[in-house]
Amino acid sequence: MFKISNFSLANVDEVEPDPDEEEIMLAYRSGAPDYQAAISQEDLIKELGL
């Protein structure tokens, strides 16, 4: 269904997330409802008719 490609960006620097980004990622990983998807991927595909 989805095409997965293997590539890399050779000239991209990895940066550390700032404190706000860290807090958001932690909230998402912890399951905080405000940071979870509002619709599942399966439901979205159905809704879009894909």
Side-chain angles (χ1 to χ4, degrees):
M1 175 182 283
F2 295 99
K3 181 179 179 183
I4 297 175
S5 104
N6 293 324
F7 70 93
S8 65
L9 302 173
N11 58 349
V12 175
D13 294 328
E14 186 173 329
V15 297
E16 293 294 319
D18 65 39
D20 290 336
E21 293 168 330
E22 292 255 352
E23 185 178 334
I24 291 167
M25 290 187 295
L26 180 59
Y28 171 78
R29 286 190 205 117
S30 302
D34 288 344
Y35 295 94
Q36 302 307 308
I39 186 170
S40 71
Q41 181 178 356
E42 182 179 304
D43 289 343
L44 180 60
I45 290 170
K46 287 178 188 174
E47 190 171 315
L48 295 174
L50 301 175

